[in-house]
Amino acid sequence: MRIILCGFGTVAQSLAKLLVSRSDDLYAKYGIMPRIVGAFDTHGGAVEQSGLDLNRLVEIKKKFGSIKHYDKSKKKWSGLEIIKNVDADVLIETTASNYHDAEPGMSHIITAMKRGMHVISVNKGPLAIAFPSLMELATYNQVQFRFSGTVGGGTPILDYAKNSLQGEQIVSFAGILNGTTNYILTNMSHGMSFAQALKDAKSRGYVEADESLDLDGFDAAAKLVILANWIMGMKVTMPDINRTGIRKVTSEDVKKAAKKKMAIKLIASCDKELVVAPKEIPIDDPLCVNGTLNAISFTSEHSGTQTIIGKGAGGTETASAILRDLLDIRKEILRD
Amino acid sequence: MRIILCGFGTVAQSLAKLLVSRSDDLYAKYGIMPRIVGAFDTHGGAVEQSGLDLNRLVEIKKKFGSIKHYDKSKKKWSGLEIIKNVDADVLIETTASNYHDAEPGMSHIITAMKRGMHVISVNKGPLAIAFPSLMELATYNQVQFRFSGTVGGGTPILDYAKNSLQGEQIVSFAGILNGTTNYILTNMSHGMSFAQALKDAKSRGYVEADESLDLDGFDAAAKLVILANWIMGMKVTMPDINRTGIRKVTSEDVKKAAKKKMAIKLIASCDKELVVAPKEIPIDDPLCVNGTLNAISFTSEHSGTQTIIGKGAGGTETASAILRDLLDIRKEILRD
């Protein structure tokens, strides 16, 4: 399987390491030999039809800050040039999410699909802004489109709802889908002020460069868009989400809730309406997880309410979600 | 799809109702029209190649205590006679679990597989006693064998671990797999004695006719056998489980644990050894659920620890698991 890798940050580097460490196992168990034939970051990229040396790629990135230095003798490639000119089976999109125009991820995905490549995205931006039309584009071009890593990191929330609950009608769901705000709210319940808790979260590297993405609920809303489309069959995008962040939650609110054995959490819910907002939930509800954990409760017609809890982020975890998507695409191709 | 239904207790009756209420939907969405061509309980059964009237079957059971009265004019069938003589595609085994010889379920399953029927079992007995050989028999006879409802009731724990985590290596797991003992231990943590809590659980119909199955950990151990075989690829049966029940847990133990912010739970775990025993776990661990809830935490190599929580029993819930198995078998048949 020939792969083009867009972006070379934490997740992509974890993926490169995972592919190296598991190459024997992947071939033996699943019969796949993934080859990264092109990869790029903001500054430029590298191409090698027989497969880039992944250890070297990680080293170069560490040493020079960009993988464009991978092979000095060769042509300098930009990201879109690679996607337009290099033949590959799968594009893996890992550049940063933004919710204005979702670029450059949006162009990467659209260009790849039009060229007949299957796409795996862990970038939420394009999905949040244009889920319904991207699915249409994938169907039209007869390619697979997968995005397990966008919700729950390594916790297979999307797959659980779609496949493990096959034949069931999910009637509603509610989740804690942003680890950063959950960490802040948990610390506030331990006595910190909002400002202190935010500072602590920043010092641990939990907060996005643009803190608004976490604090104002954009990240949770993007995940809600993805869940609503993929699981509930709704055709919605970001503007359809009624979104409130956690900036106005005070220590006073948190204390008041605690007295009632409740906790304030940023809840993304789908039940008639699509809402992201701070809400009080009982502390003994399975959904009420602490720290950076994510959790989601699905209520279905016949199987009651089921909750899945796991780490919602992390390089290796998200890379393992990409690997699952890759195996899934492989399975779908063989089935055709 | 022609189905033979073994046993007509709570789960089977819920399944009958579910098949009636969802028949249009099942045909429209999945193209299947399940027909129960034979069904029986302890006293005898009924056969109708064009499909038994499911509403009538439920009515007869309610009125006369056995479905053998379904059609007085016809031959009287015993269970094994039906399996041996009636042609069907799938056998659904719902008779009561026992861990001595697993009969009559064991004979039902073996006879059906030898006749080339796919088998769905929610009866844990045969699996607990003979999982490895039943899987071999299924493979040899080229039939599908499914048992989603045996672990977690309507919560798709087996499917999650096997499919949603595909490509992952699960290294260990630990779960609360018996709702009855969890209900008793929860009530003990609220101040009841073991005897009081047991009495309360009995009055709510939560305890098996043979209370030892719950209290001495047989039920949890049977589920552990199934998980160990299906998910970890181990070839084990009941005698391989190191099993301790909850009879010796005292109010004193529960109080002591609570002081350390811990709770005593009956934990079934797979980590080097296969053990069912009461253990202290932190009350803020996602695994620490209360009441009759079940929970299981899987730790995998790259995606960290993930917990699934849901109701572990219930007629409709377990019937919905059978329905998922039916759809799964249908999918596998089409793939061949």
Side-chain angles (χ1 to χ4, degrees):
Chain A
M1 269 181 142
R2 298 162 303 169
I3 295 168
I4 292 175
L5 189 51
C6 317
F8 207 69
T10 317
V11 171
Q13 289 175 51
S14 297
L15 179 67
K17 288 174 200 162
L18 202 60
L19 290 177
V20 170
S21 72
R22 298 202 48 193
S23 68
D24 291 349
D25 170 50
L26 284 173
Y27 186 64
K29 265 201 202 150
Y30 307 97
I32 68 172
M33 275 184 76
R35 263 184 298 153
I36 309 283
V37 296
F40 59 88
D41 53 31
T42 344
H43 308 287
V47 165
E48 180 61 67
Q49 272 296 347
S50 61
L52 295 161
D53 176 339
L54 298 181
N55 287 324
R56 196 169 130 67
L57 216 51
V58 174
E59 242 169 62
I60 294 280
K61 178 76 181 181
K62 203 171 167 187
K63 215 163 168 179
F64 303 106
S66 168
I67 53 175
K68 73 171 177 182
H69 303 284
Y70 180 87
D71 187 347
K72 288 192 184 292
S73 67
K74 290 201 180 160
K75 183 179 177 328
K76 292 286 163 279
W77 295 87
S78 80
L80 268 182
E81 272 173 347
I82 292 180
I83 303 174
K84 280 182 185 156
N85 294 292
V86 176
D87 287 335
D89 306 298
V90 181
L91 178 106
I92 299 177
E93 163 57 39
T94 75
T95 66
S97 304
N98 91 59
Y99 304 109
H100 306 295
D101 57 6
E103 291 296 357
M106 188 76 95
S107 299
H108 297 160
I109 292 175
I110 292 175
T111 310
M113 283 185 179
K114 285 187 178 164
R115 288 203 66 212
M117 293 180 213
H118 306 292
V119 171
I120 297 170
S121 181
V122 291
N123 175 351
K124 295 176 286 287
L127 290 147
I129 286 186
F131 192 110
S133 39
L134 287 176
M135 282 311 287
E136 261 186 53
L137 192 65
T139 309
Y140 181 79
N141 290 285
Q142 296 181 293
V143 296
Q144 303 289 325
F145 186 27
R146 290 288 182 279
F147 33 82
S148 302
T150 54
V151 182
T155 309
I157 290 174
L158 295 174
D159 187 85
Y160 179 85
K162 189 87 169 181
N163 296 326
S164 295
L165 284 175
Q166 70 158 336
E168 265 296 348
Q169 198 71 39
I170 294 176
V171 290
S172 66
F173 63 80
I176 295 174
L177 302 176
N178 177 273
T180 310
T181 46
N182 202 32
Y183 183 80
I184 292 172
L185 292 171
T186 302
N187 271 346
M188 287 174 74
S189 78
H190 296 160
M192 283 191 197
S193 69
F194 175 78
Q196 285 169 324
L198 175 58
K199 199 177 156 193
D200 177 49
K202 278 186 178 169
S203 74
R204 288 167 194 266
Y206 291 162
V207 185
E208 297 263 5
D210 174 1
E211 65 180 35
S212 167
L213 297 188
D214 290 317
L215 303 183
D216 295 316
F218 285 100
D219 177 73
K223 290 165 178 166
L224 184 55
V225 167
I226 295 169
L227 283 160
N229 277 278
W230 186 239
I231 292 166
M232 310 297 273
M234 299 166 88
K235 302 232 181 267
V236 293
T237 58
M238 278 296 245
D240 297 306
I241 310 293
N242 184 340
R243 180 182 44 77
T244 312
I246 64 159
R247 293 192 202 254
K248 289 189 181 158
V249 177
T250 64
S251 298
E252 200 55 37
D253 299 333
V254 173
K255 266 183 223 155
K256 257 191 213 161
K259 273 186 195 151
K260 296 181 283 178
K261 297 211 167 181
M262 306 283 271
I264 297 182
K265 298 289 181 186
L266 184 66
I267 303 290
S269 58
C270 169
D271 185 12
K272 286 168 206 143
E273 266 194 303
L274 295 168
V275 182
V276 170
K279 272 182 204 158
E280 289 186 354
I281 61 170
I283 52 168
D284 64 352
D285 189 310
L287 191 60
C288 192
V289 295
N290 291 322
T292 57
L293 282 177
N294 282 19
I296 186 161
S297 291
F298 294 105
T299 300
S300 56
E301 212 180 343
H302 303 291
S303 325
T305 297
Q306 301 169 0
T307 307
I308 311 176
I309 299 167
K311 276 185 70 174
T316 315
E317 287 82 357
T318 309
S320 73
I322 295 176
L323 200 55
R324 282 200 300 271
D325 282 347
L326 208 57
L327 295 175
D328 205 33
I329 286 176
R330 158 88 179 176
K331 217 164 40 176
E332 286 296 328
I333 297 173
L334 289 178
R335 197 173 293 171
D336 285 345
Chain B
M1 269 181 143
R2 297 162 304 169
I3 295 169
I4 292 175
L5 189 52
C6 315
F8 206 68
T10 317
V11 171
Q13 290 176 50
S14 296
L15 179 67
K17 288 175 200 161
L18 202 59
L19 289 177
V20 170
S21 73
R22 297 202 49 193
S23 68
D24 290 350
D25 169 49
L26 284 173
Y27 186 65
K29 265 202 200 150
Y30 307 98
I32 69 172
M33 274 182 77
R35 263 183 299 154
I36 309 284
V37 294
F40 59 87
D41 53 31
T42 343
H43 308 287
V47 166
E48 181 62 68
Q49 273 295 348
S50 62
L52 295 161
D53 176 338
L54 298 181
N55 287 324
R56 195 169 129 69
L57 216 52
V58 173
E59 242 168 62
I60 295 281
K61 177 78 180 179
K62 205 172 165 184
K63 216 162 167 180
F64 302 107
S66 168
I67 54 176
K68 73 172 176 179
H69 303 283
Y70 180 85
D71 188 344
K72 288 192 186 292
S73 67
K74 288 200 182 162
K75 184 180 178 325
K76 292 287 164 280
W77 296 88
S78 80
L80 269 181
E81 273 173 346
I82 293 181
I83 303 175
K84 280 181 184 156
N85 294 292
V86 176
D87 287 335
D89 306 298
V90 181
L91 178 105
I92 299 178
E93 164 55 40
T94 75
T95 67
S97 304
N98 91 59
Y99 305 109
H100 306 295
D101 58 5
E103 292 296 357
M106 187 76 94
S107 300
H108 297 160
I109 293 175
I110 292 175
T111 310
M113 283 185 179
K114 285 186 177 163
R115 289 203 67 211
M117 292 179 213
H118 307 291
V119 171
I120 297 170
S121 181
V122 291
N123 174 353
K124 293 176 287 288
L127 290 148
I129 286 188
F131 193 110
S133 39
L134 287 176
M135 282 311 288
E136 260 185 55
L137 192 67
T139 309
Y140 181 78
N141 289 286
Q142 296 181 293
V143 297
Q144 303 290 324
F145 187 27
R146 290 287 182 280
F147 34 80
S148 301
T150 55
V151 183
T155 310
I157 290 175
L158 295 174
D159 188 85
Y160 179 84
K162 188 88 169 178
N163 297 325
S164 295
L165 284 175
Q166 71 159 335
E168 263 295 349
Q169 199 71 40
I170 294 176
V171 289
S172 66
F173 63 81
I176 295 174
L177 302 177
N178 177 272
T180 310
T181 47
N182 201 34
Y183 183 79
I184 292 172
L185 292 170
T186 302
N187 270 347
M188 287 174 76
S189 79
H190 295 158
M192 282 190 196
S193 70
F194 176 77
Q196 285 171 323
L198 175 57
K199 199 177 155 194
D200 178 49
K202 278 185 178 172
S203 74
R204 288 167 194 267
Y206 292 163
V207 186
E208 297 262 6
D210 174 0
E211 67 180 34
S212 167
L213 298 188
D214 291 318
L215 302 184
D216 296 316
F218 285 99
D219 178 72
K223 290 165 178 166
L224 184 53
V225 167
I226 296 168
L227 284 159
N229 277 279
W230 186 240
I231 292 166
M232 310 298 272
M234 299 165 90
K235 303 234 181 268
V236 293
T237 59
M238 276 297 242
D240 298 306
I241 309 294
N242 185 340
R243 178 182 45 79
T244 312
I246 64 159
R247 293 191 201 253
K248 290 188 179 156
V249 177
T250 65
S251 297
E252 199 55 35
D253 298 334
V254 173
K255 265 183 223 154
K256 257 191 214 161
K259 273 185 195 149
K260 294 181 284 179
K261 296 209 167 181
M262 307 283 271
I264 297 183
K265 298 290 181 185
L266 184 65
I267 302 291
S269 58
C270 169
D271 185 13
K272 287 169 208 145
E273 266 193 304
L274 294 168
V275 182
V276 170
K279 273 182 204 157
E280 289 187 353
I281 61 170
I283 52 168
D284 63 353
D285 189 310
L287 191 59
C288 192
V289 295
N290 291 322
T292 57
L293 282 178
N294 282 19
I296 186 162
S297 291
F298 294 105
T299 300
S300 55
E301 211 181 342
H302 303 291
S303 325
T305 297
Q306 300 169 1
T307 307
I308 311 177
I309 299 167
K311 275 184 72 173
T316 315
E317 288 81 358
T318 309
S320 73
I322 295 177
L323 200 56
R324 283 199 301 269
D325 281 347
L326 208 59
L327 296 175
D328 205 33
I329 287 176
R330 157 88 180 175
K331 217 164 42 177
E332 287 296 329
I333 298 172
L334 290 178
R335 198 172 294 169
D336 286 343

